[in-house]
């Protein structure tokens, strides 16, 4: 799952699984994360994260 902060302040979430891709936007990072998990489940994936602490920290610092 990939989150990106848009210029408008909203967040875009992009989910890829088994060669399929879905995206959506949400007002907050928390809503985007929840929406991404729901999209992943719809695509047949698992919400378990393979992200490392470094990945999570880099994503957080990019939003600050």
């Amino acid at each position: 799952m990939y989150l990106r902060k848009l210029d408008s302040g909203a967040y875009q979430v992009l989910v890829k699984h088994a060669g399929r891709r879905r995206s959506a936007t949400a007002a907050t990072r928390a809503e985007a994360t929840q929406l991404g998990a729901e999209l992943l489940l719809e695509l047949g994936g698992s919400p378990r994260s393979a992200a490392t602490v470094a990945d999570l920290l880099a994503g957080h610092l990019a939003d600050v």
Side-chain angles (χ1 to χ4, degrees), residues 23-56:
S23 65
T25 57
T28 67
R29 183 178 179 90
E31 290 173 359
T33 301
Q34 177 66 34
L35 187 55
E38 292 170 8
L39 292 173
L40 182 60
L41 289 174
E42 286 177 14
L43 293 175
S46 170
R48 295 184 302 163
S49 175
T52 65
V53 172
D55 293 336
L56 297 172

Side-chain angles (χ1 to χ4, degrees), residues 1 9 51 59-60:
M1 178 173 23
H60 173 73

